[in-house]
Coordinates of all heavy atoms in Angstrom, one line a residue:
M148 N 21.9 -24.0 7.1 CA 22.3 -22.6 6.9 C 22.4 -22.0 8.3 O 21.7 -22.3 9.2 CB 21.1 -21.9 6.1 CG 21.3 -20.4 5.9 SD 19.8 -19.7 5.0 CE 20.7 -18.9 3.8
K149 N 23.5 -21.1 8.4 CA 23.8 -20.5 9.7 C 23.4 -19.0 9.6 O 23.4 -18.3 8.6 CB 25.2 -20.6 10.0 CG 25.7 -21.9 10.3 CD 25.3 -22.4 11.6 CE 25.9 -23.8 12.0 NZ 25.5 -24.3 13.2
C150 N 22.9 -18.5 10.8 CA 22.5 -17.1 10.8 C 23.7 -16.2 10.6 O 24.8 -16.4 11.2 CB 21.9 -16.8 12.2 SG 21.4 -15.1 12.5
F151 N 23.4 -15.1 9.8 CA 24.6 -14.1 9.6 C 24.9 -13.3 10.8 O 26.0 -12.8 11.0 CB 24.2 -13.2 8.4 CG 24.0 -13.9 7.2 CD1 22.7 -14.0 6.6 CD2 25.0 -14.5 6.4 CE1 22.4 -14.7 5.4 CE2 24.7 -15.2 5.3 CZ 23.5 -15.3 4.8
E152 N 23.9 -13.2 11.7 CA 24.1 -12.3 12.9 C 24.7 -13.1 14.1 O 25.7 -12.6 14.6 CB 22.7 -11.8 13.4 CG 22.1 -10.8 12.4 CD 22.9 -9.5 12.2 OE1 23.4 -9.0 13.2 OE2 23.0 -9.1 11.1
C153 N 24.2 -14.3 14.4 CA 24.6 -14.9 15.6 C 25.1 -16.3 15.4 O 25.6 -17.0 16.4 CB 23.5 -15.0 16.7 SG 22.2 -16.2 16.2
R154 N 25.1 -16.8 14.1 CA 25.6 -18.1 13.7 C 24.7 -19.2 14.2 O 25.1 -20.4 14.3 CB 27.0 -18.5 14.2 CG 28.1 -17.4 13.8 CD 28.2 -17.2 12.2 NE 28.6 -18.4 11.6 CZ 28.5 -18.8 10.3 NH1 27.8 -17.9 9.5 NH2 28.9 -19.9 9.8
G155 N 23.4 -18.8 14.7 CA 22.5 -19.9 15.1 C 21.9 -20.6 13.9 O 22.2 -20.3 12.7
V156 N 21.0 -21.6 14.2 CA 20.5 -22.4 13.1 C 19.3 -21.7 12.4 O 18.4 -21.2 13.2 CB 20.0 -23.8 13.6 CG1 19.3 -24.6 12.6 CG2 21.2 -24.5 14.3
M157 N 19.3 -21.6 11.1 CA 18.2 -21.0 10.4 C 17.2 -22.1 10.0 O 17.7 -23.2 9.5 CB 18.8 -20.3 9.1 CG 19.6 -19.2 9.3 SD 18.9 -17.7 10.1 CE 18.2 -17.0 8.7
R158 N 15.9 -21.8 10.2 CA 14.9 -22.8 9.8 C 13.9 -22.2 8.8 O 13.7 -21.0 8.8 CB 14.2 -23.4 11.0 CG 13.6 -22.3 11.9 CD 13.0 -22.9 13.2 NE 12.5 -22.0 14.1 CZ 11.3 -21.5 14.1 NH1 10.4 -21.9 13.3 NH2 11.0 -20.5 14.9
E159 N 13.4 -23.1 8.0 CA 12.5 -22.6 6.9 C 11.1 -22.4 7.5 O 10.6 -23.3 8.3 CB 12.4 -23.6 5.8 CG 13.6 -23.6 4.9 CD 13.4 -24.5 3.7 OE1 12.5 -24.3 2.9 OE2 14.2 -25.5 3.6
V160 N 10.5 -21.2 7.3 CA 9.2 -21.0 7.9 C 8.4 -20.1 6.9 O 9.0 -19.6 5.9 CB 9.2 -20.2 9.2 CG1 9.9 -20.9 10.3 CG2 9.9 -18.8 9.1
D161 N 7.1 -20.1 7.0 CA 6.3 -19.1 6.2 C 6.1 -17.9 7.2 O 5.4 -18.1 8.2 CB 4.9 -19.7 5.8 CG 5.1 -20.7 4.7 OD1 6.1 -20.6 4.0 OD2 4.2 -21.5 4.5
G162 N 6.7 -16.8 6.9 CA 6.7 -15.7 7.9 C 6.1 -14.5 7.2 O 5.5 -14.5 6.1
R163 N 6.2 -13.4 8.0 CA 5.7 -12.1 7.6 C 6.9 -11.1 7.5 O 7.9 -11.2 8.2 CB 4.7 -11.5 8.6 CG 3.5 -12.3 8.7 CD 2.5 -11.8 9.8 NE 1.4 -12.6 9.8 CZ 0.1 -12.1 9.9 NH1 -0.1 -10.8 10.1 NH2 -0.9 -12.9 9.9
V164 N 6.8 -10.3 6.5 CA 7.8 -9.2 6.3 C 7.1 -7.9 6.3 O 6.2 -7.7 5.5 CB 8.5 -9.5 4.9 CG1 9.5 -8.4 4.6 CG2 9.1 -10.9 4.9
R165 N 7.6 -7.0 7.1 CA 7.1 -5.6 7.2 C 8.0 -4.7 6.4 O 9.2 -4.7 6.6 CB 7.0 -5.1 8.6 CG 6.5 -3.8 8.7 CD 6.6 -3.3 10.2 NE 6.1 -2.0 10.4 CZ 6.8 -0.8 10.1 NH1 8.0 -0.9 9.5 NH2 6.3 0.4 10.3
M166 N 7.4 -3.9 5.4 CA 8.2 -3.0 4.7 C 7.5 -1.6 4.9 O 6.3 -1.6 5.2 CB 8.1 -3.3 3.1 CG 8.6 -4.7 2.8 SD 10.4 -4.9 3.1 CE 11.1 -3.9 1.8
T167 N 8.3 -0.5 4.5 CA 7.7 0.8 4.7 C 7.7 1.5 3.4 O 8.7 1.5 2.6 CB 8.7 1.6 5.7 OG1 8.7 0.9 6.9 CG2 8.1 3.0 5.9
R168 N 6.6 2.0 3.0 CA 6.4 2.8 1.8 C 7.1 4.1 1.9 O 7.5 4.6 3.0 CB 4.9 3.0 1.5 CG 4.2 1.8 1.2 CD 2.7 2.2 0.9 NE 1.9 1.1 0.5 CZ 0.6 1.1 0.5 NH1 -0.1 2.2 0.8 NH2 -0.1 0.0 0.1
R169 N 7.3 4.8 0.8 CA 7.9 6.1 0.7 C 7.2 7.1 1.6 O 7.8 8.0 2.1 CB 7.9 6.6 -0.7 CG 8.8 5.9 -1.6 CD 8.8 6.5 -3.0 NE 9.5 5.6 -3.9 CZ 8.9 5.0 -4.9 NH1 7.6 5.1 -5.1 NH2 9.5 4.2 -5.6
D170 N 5.8 7.0 1.8 CA 5.1 7.9 2.6 C 5.1 7.6 4.1 O 4.5 8.2 4.9 CB 3.6 8.0 2.1 CG 2.8 6.7 2.3 OD1 3.3 5.7 2.9 OD2 1.6 6.7 1.9
G171 N 5.8 6.5 4.5 CA 6.0 6.1 5.8 C 5.0 5.1 6.3 O 5.1 4.6 7.4
S172 N 4.0 4.7 5.5 CA 3.0 3.7 5.8 C 3.6 2.3 5.7 O 4.5 2.1 4.9 CB 1.7 3.8 5.0 OG 2.0 3.6 3.7
A173 N 3.0 1.4 6.5 CA 3.6 0.0 6.5 C 2.8 -0.9 5.5 O 1.6 -0.7 5.3 CB 3.5 -0.5 7.9
V174 N 3.5 -1.8 5.0 CA 2.9 -2.9 4.2 C 3.5 -4.2 4.7 O 4.7 -4.4 5.0 CB 3.4 -2.8 2.7 CG1 2.9 -4.0 1.9 CG2 2.9 -1.5 2.1
I175 N 2.6 -5.2 5.0 CA 3.0 -6.4 5.5 C 2.7 -7.5 4.4 O 1.6 -7.7 3.9 CB 2.2 -6.8 6.8 CG1 2.6 -5.7 7.9 CG2 2.6 -8.2 7.3 CD1 1.7 -5.9 9.2
F176 N 3.8 -8.3 4.2 CA 3.7 -9.4 3.2 C 3.6 -10.6 4.1 O 4.5 -10.8 4.9 CB 4.9 -9.4 2.3 CG 5.0 -8.3 1.3 CD1 5.7 -7.1 1.7 CD2 4.5 -8.4 0.1 CE1 5.7 -6.1 0.8 CE2 4.6 -7.4 -0.8 CZ 5.2 -6.2 -0.5
K177 N 2.5 -11.4 3.9 CA 2.5 -12.6 4.8 C 2.6 -13.9 4.0 O 2.4 -13.9 2.8 CB 1.2 -12.6 5.6 CG -0.1 -12.8 4.8 CD -1.3 -12.8 5.7 CE -2.6 -13.2 5.0 NZ -3.7 -13.4 5.9
D178 N 2.9 -14.9 4.7 CA 3.1 -16.3 4.1 C 4.2 -16.3 3.1 O 4.1 -16.9 2.1 CB 1.8 -16.8 3.5 CG 0.6 -16.9 4.5 OD1 0.9 -17.2 5.6 OD2 -0.6 -16.7 4.1
I179 N 5.3 -15.6 3.4 CA 6.5 -15.6 2.6 C 7.4 -16.7 3.1 O 7.7 -16.8 4.2 CB 7.2 -14.2 2.7 CG1 6.3 -13.1 2.4 CG2 8.5 -14.2 1.9 CD1 5.9 -13.0 0.9
P180 N 7.8 -17.6 2.2 CA 8.7 -18.6 2.5 C 10.1 -17.9 2.8 O 10.7 -17.3 2.0 CB 8.9 -19.5 1.3 CG 7.8 -19.1 0.4 CD 7.4 -17.7 0.8
L181 N 10.6 -18.0 4.0 CA 11.9 -17.5 4.5 C 12.5 -18.3 5.4 O 12.1 -19.3 5.9 CB 11.6 -16.0 4.9 CG 10.6 -15.8 6.1 CD1 11.2 -16.0 7.5 CD2 10.1 -14.4 6.0
Y182 N 13.8 -17.9 5.8 CA 14.6 -18.6 6.8 C 14.6 -17.7 8.0 O 14.8 -16.5 7.9 CB 16.0 -18.8 6.3 CG 16.1 -19.8 5.2 CD1 16.1 -19.3 3.9 CD2 16.1 -21.1 5.4 CE1 16.2 -20.2 2.8 CE2 16.2 -22.0 4.3 CZ 16.2 -21.6 3.0 OH 16.3 -22.4 2.0
Q183 N 14.4 -18.3 9.2 CA 14.4 -17.5 10.5 C 15.3 -18.2 11.5 O 15.3 -19.5 11.6 CB 13.0 -17.4 11.0 CG 13.0 -16.5 12.3 CD 11.5 -16.1 12.6 OE1 10.6 -16.3 11.9 NE2 11.4 -15.4 13.8
C184 N 16.1 -17.4 12.2 CA 17.0 -18.0 13.1 C 16.3 -18.4 14.4 O 15.5 -17.7 14.9 CB 18.1 -16.9 13.5 SG 19.3 -17.5 14.7
S185 N 16.5 -19.6 14.8 CA 15.9 -20.1 15.9 C 16.5 -19.6 17.3 O 15.9 -19.7 18.3 CB 15.9 -21.7 16.0 OG 17.3 -22.1 15.9
Q186 N 17.6 -18.8 17.1 CA 18.2 -18.3 18.3 C 17.9 -16.8 18.5 O 17.5 -16.4 19.5 CB 19.8 -18.5 18.2 CG 20.6 -18.1 19.4 CD 22.0 -18.6 19.3 OE1 22.2 -19.7 19.2 NE2 22.9 -17.6 19.4
C187 N 18.1 -16.0 17.5 CA 18.0 -14.6 17.6 C 16.8 -14.0 16.9 O 16.4 -12.9 17.0 CB 19.2 -13.8 17.2 SG 19.5 -13.7 15.4
G188 N 16.1 -14.8 15.9 CA 14.9 -14.4 15.3 C 15.2 -13.6 14.0 O 14.3 -13.2 13.2
E189 N 16.4 -13.4 13.6 CA 16.9 -12.8 12.3 C 16.3 -13.5 11.2 O 16.2 -14.8 11.2 CB 18.4 -12.8 12.1 CG 18.9 -12.1 10.9 CD 18.8 -10.6 10.9 OE1 18.6 -10.0 12.0 OE2 18.8 -10.1 9.8
Q190 N 15.8 -12.7 10.2 CA 15.1 -13.4 9.0 C 16.0 -13.1 7.7 O 16.6 -12.1 7.6 CB 13.7 -12.7 8.8 CG 12.8 -13.1 9.8 CD 11.4 -12.5 9.5 OE1 11.2 -11.5 8.9 NE2 10.4 -13.2 10.1
Y191 N 15.9 -14.1 6.9 CA 16.6 -14.1 5.6 C 15.6 -14.5 4.5 O 14.9 -15.5 4.6 CB 17.8 -15.0 5.5 CG 18.4 -15.2 4.1 CD1 19.1 -14.1 3.5 CD2 18.1 -16.3 3.3 CE1 19.6 -14.3 2.3 CE2 18.6 -16.5 2.1 CZ 19.3 -15.4 1.5 OH 19.7 -15.5 0.2
I192 N 15.4 -13.5 3.6 CA 14.4 -13.8 2.5 C 15.1 -14.2 1.3 O 16.0 -13.5 0.8 CB 13.6 -12.4 2.1 CG1 13.0 -11.9 3.4 CG2 12.6 -12.8 1.1 CD1 12.5 -10.5 3.3
P193 N 14.9 -15.4 0.8 CA 15.6 -15.9 -0.4 C 15.4 -14.9 -1.6 O 14.4 -14.2 -1.7 CB 14.9 -17.2 -0.7 CG 14.3 -17.7 0.5 CD 13.9 -16.4 1.3
G194 N 16.4 -14.9 -2.5 CA 16.5 -14.0 -3.6 C 15.3 -13.7 -4.4 O 14.8 -12.7 -4.6
K195 N 14.6 -14.8 -4.8 CA 13.4 -14.7 -5.6 C 12.3 -13.9 -4.9 O 11.7 -13.1 -5.6 CB 12.9 -16.2 -6.0 CG 11.6 -16.2 -6.8 CD 11.1 -17.6 -7.0 CE 10.1 -18.0 -6.0 NZ 9.5 -19.2 -6.2
W196 N 12.1 -14.2 -3.7 CA 11.1 -13.5 -2.9 C 11.4 -12.1 -2.6 O 10.6 -11.1 -2.6 CB 10.7 -14.3 -1.6 CG 10.0 -15.6 -2.0 CD1 10.6 -16.8 -2.0 CD2 8.6 -15.7 -2.3 NE1 9.6 -17.7 -2.4 CE2 8.4 -17.1 -2.6 CE3 7.6 -14.8 -2.5 CZ2 7.2 -17.5 -2.9 CZ3 6.4 -15.3 -2.8 CH2 6.2 -16.7 -3.0
A197 N 12.7 -11.9 -2.3 CA 13.1 -10.5 -2.1 C 13.0 -9.6 -3.4 O 12.5 -8.5 -3.3 CB 14.6 -10.5 -1.7
E198 N 13.2 -10.2 -4.5 CA 13.1 -9.5 -5.8 C 11.6 -9.2 -6.0 O 11.2 -8.0 -6.4 CB 13.6 -10.3 -6.9 CG 15.1 -10.4 -7.0 CD 15.6 -11.3 -8.1 OE1 14.9 -11.5 -9.1 OE2 16.7 -11.8 -8.0
N199 N 10.7 -10.1 -5.8 CA 9.3 -9.9 -5.9 C 8.8 -8.8 -5.0 O 8.0 -8.0 -5.4 CB 8.4 -11.1 -5.6 CG 8.7 -12.2 -6.6 OD1 9.2 -12.0 -7.7 ND2 8.3 -13.5 -6.3
I200 N 9.2 -8.8 -3.8 CA 8.8 -7.7 -2.8 C 9.3 -6.4 -3.3 O 8.6 -5.4 -3.2 CB 9.3 -8.1 -1.4 CG1 8.5 -9.3 -0.8 CG2 9.1 -6.9 -0.4 CD1 9.0 -9.9 0.5
G201 N 10.6 -6.4 -3.7 CA 11.2 -5.1 -4.2 C 10.4 -4.6 -5.4 O 10.2 -3.3 -5.4
E202 N 10.0 -5.4 -6.3 CA 9.2 -4.9 -7.5 C 7.9 -4.4 -7.1 O 7.5 -3.3 -7.5 CB 9.0 -6.1 -8.4 CG 10.3 -6.5 -9.2 CD 10.0 -7.8 -10.1 OE1 8.9 -8.1 -10.4 OE2 11.0 -8.4 -10.4
I203 N 7.2 -5.0 -6.1 CA 5.9 -4.6 -5.7 C 6.1 -3.2 -4.9 O 5.3 -2.3 -5.2 CB 5.2 -5.6 -4.7 CG1 4.8 -6.8 -5.6 CG2 4.1 -4.9 -4.0 CD1 4.4 -8.0 -4.7
M204 N 7.1 -3.0 -4.1 CA 7.4 -1.8 -3.4 C 7.7 -0.7 -4.4 O 7.4 0.5 -4.1 CB 8.4 -2.0 -2.3 CG 8.0 -3.0 -1.2 SD 6.5 -2.4 -0.3 CE 7.0 -0.9 0.4
R205 N 8.4 -1.0 -5.4 CA 8.8 0.1 -6.4 C 7.5 0.6 -7.1 O 7.4 1.7 -7.5 CB 9.8 -0.4 -7.4 CG 11.2 -0.4 -6.8 CD 12.3 -0.7 -7.9 NE 12.3 -2.1 -8.2 CZ 12.8 -3.1 -7.7 NH1 13.4 -2.9 -6.5 NH2 12.8 -4.2 -8.1
D206 N 6.6 -0.3 -7.4 CA 5.4 0.0 -8.2 C 4.3 0.0 -7.2 O 3.6 -1.0 -7.1 CB 5.2 -0.9 -9.4 CG 3.9 -0.5 -10.2 OD1 3.3 0.5 -9.9 OD2 3.5 -1.3 -11.0
E207 N 4.1 1.0 -6.4 CA 3.1 0.9 -5.3 C 1.7 0.8 -5.8 O 0.8 0.4 -5.1 CB 3.2 2.3 -4.5 CG 4.5 2.3 -3.7 CD 4.6 3.4 -2.7 OE1 3.7 4.1 -2.5 OE2 5.7 3.6 -2.2
S208 N 1.4 1.1 -7.1 CA 0.1 0.8 -7.7 C -0.2 -0.6 -7.7 O -1.4 -1.1 -7.9 CB -0.1 1.5 -9.0 OG 0.8 0.9 -10.0
A209 N 0.9 -1.5 -7.7 CA 0.7 -2.9 -7.8 C 0.3 -3.5 -6.5 O -0.1 -4.7 -6.4 CB 2.0 -3.6 -8.3
V210 N 0.3 -2.7 -5.4 CA -0.1 -3.3 -4.1 C -1.6 -3.3 -3.9 O -2.3 -2.3 -3.9 CB 0.5 -2.4 -2.9 CG1 0.1 -2.9 -1.5 CG2 2.0 -2.3 -3.0
I211 N -2.1 -4.6 -4.0 CA -3.5 -4.8 -3.7 C -3.7 -5.6 -2.5 O -3.4 -6.8 -2.4 CB -4.1 -5.6 -4.9 CG1 -3.8 -4.8 -6.3 CG2 -5.6 -5.8 -4.7 CD1 -4.1 -5.6 -7.5
P212 N -4.2 -5.0 -1.4 CA -4.2 -5.6 -0.2 C -5.3 -6.7 -0.1 O -6.3 -6.5 -0.7 CB -4.5 -4.5 0.9 CG -5.1 -3.4 0.1 CD -4.5 -3.6 -1.3
V213 N -5.0 -7.8 0.7 CA -6.0 -8.8 0.8 C -6.7 -8.6 2.2 O -7.8 -9.1 2.4 CB -5.4 -10.2 0.8 CG1 -4.8 -10.6 -0.5 CG2 -4.3 -10.4 1.9
E214 N -6.1 -7.7 3.0 CA -6.8 -7.4 4.2 C -6.2 -6.1 4.7 O -5.1 -5.7 4.4 CB -6.8 -8.5 5.3 CG -5.3 -8.8 5.8 CD -5.3 -9.8 6.8 OE1 -5.8 -9.7 8.0 OE2 -4.8 -10.9 6.5
I215 N -7.0 -5.3 5.5 CA -6.5 -4.1 6.1 C -6.5 -4.2 7.7 O -7.5 -4.7 8.2 CB -7.4 -2.9 5.7 CG1 -7.5 -2.7 4.2 CG2 -6.9 -1.6 6.4 CD1 -6.3 -2.2 3.5
L216 N -5.4 -3.9 8.3 CA -5.3 -4.1 9.7 C -5.3 -2.7 10.4 O -4.8 -1.7 9.9 CB -3.9 -4.7 10.1 CG -3.6 -6.1 9.6 CD1 -2.2 -6.4 9.9 CD2 -4.6 -7.1 10.1
S217 N -5.9 -2.7 11.6 CA -6.0 -1.4 12.4 C -5.0 -1.7 13.5 O -5.1 -2.7 14.2 CB -7.4 -1.2 12.9 OG -7.4 -0.1 13.8
V218 N -4.1 -0.7 13.7 CA -3.0 -0.9 14.7 C -3.1 0.3 15.6 O -3.0 1.4 15.3 CB -1.6 -1.0 14.0 CG1 -0.5 -1.1 15.0 CG2 -1.6 -2.0 13.0
P219 N -3.1 -0.1 16.9 CA -3.0 1.1 17.9 C -1.7 1.7 18.0 O -0.7 1.1 17.8 CB -3.3 0.4 19.3 CG -3.1 -1.1 19.0 CD -3.2 -1.3 17.6
V220 N -1.7 3.0 18.1 CA -0.4 3.8 18.2 C -0.4 4.4 19.6 O -1.4 5.1 20.0 CB -0.3 4.9 17.1 CG1 0.9 5.7 17.3 CG2 -0.4 4.2 15.8
I221 N 0.7 4.3 20.3 CA 0.8 4.8 21.7 C 2.0 5.7 21.8 O 3.0 5.3 21.4 CB 0.9 3.6 22.7 CG1 -0.3 2.7 22.6 CG2 1.1 4.2 24.1 CD1 -0.1 1.4 23.4
A222 N 1.8 6.9 22.3 CA 2.8 7.9 22.5 C 3.2 7.9 24.0 O 2.4 8.0 24.8 CB 2.4 9.3 22.0
L223 N 4.5 7.8 24.1 CA 5.0 7.8 25.5 C 5.8 9.2 25.7 O 6.7 9.3 24.9 CB 6.0 6.6 25.8 CG 5.3 5.3 25.7 CD1 6.4 4.2 25.9 CD2 4.2 5.1 26.7
H224 N 5.4 10.0 26.5 CA 6.1 11.2 26.7 C 7.0 11.1 28.0 O 6.5 10.7 29.1 CB 5.1 12.4 26.9 CG 4.2 12.5 25.7 ND1 4.6 13.1 24.6 CD2 2.9 12.1 25.5 CE1 3.7 13.1 23.6 NE2 2.6 12.5 24.2
G225 N 8.2 11.5 27.8 CA 9.2 11.4 28.9 C 9.1 12.5 29.8 O 9.4 12.8 30.8

């Protein structure tokens, strides 16, 4: 499979996908079987997994986290 962005080689990996909820908060899906370009890093999520993620994001009550991450936020003022 070739990358849609750069035509590099896509390889199968278990990766992470970051999605944004309606309220702006982030949800990370981990250990998702996907294809990632070895050249530019572009990711392609196979249809079955993309559908599953879409269903979960549409029904936010279905989101049951297995862990909660704390992320530092840094503001840069110009």
Side-chain angles (χ1 to χ4, degrees):
M148 175 182 233
K149 295 285 184 182
C150 176
F151 299 111
E152 295 295 320
C153 73
R154 306 300 298 157
V156 176
M157 299 292 277
R158 58 188 171 90
E159 289 184 58
V160 297
D161 285 338
R163 292 178 182 223
V164 176
R165 181 188 178 276
M166 301 295 287
T167 304
R168 291 181 178 165
R169 291 183 192 109
D170 67 1
S172 63
V174 176
I175 298 172
F176 294 86
K177 69 179 192 175
D178 300 328
I179 302 294
L181 53 82
Y182 295 93
Q183 184 167 353
C184 179
S185 57
Q186 186 168 301
C187 73
E189 179 71 18
Q190 292 181 332
Y191 169 75
I192 305 167
K195 176 181 99 174
W196 290 100
E198 288 177 25
N199 289 345
I200 290 170
E202 287 174 20
I203 292 169
M204 292 303 293
R205 278 188 291 283
D206 181 10
E207 294 184 9
S208 66
V210 177
I211 301 169
V213 295
E214 64 183 292
I215 304 290
L216 302 175
S217 175
V218 180
V220 176
I221 301 169
L223 299 177
H224 300 282

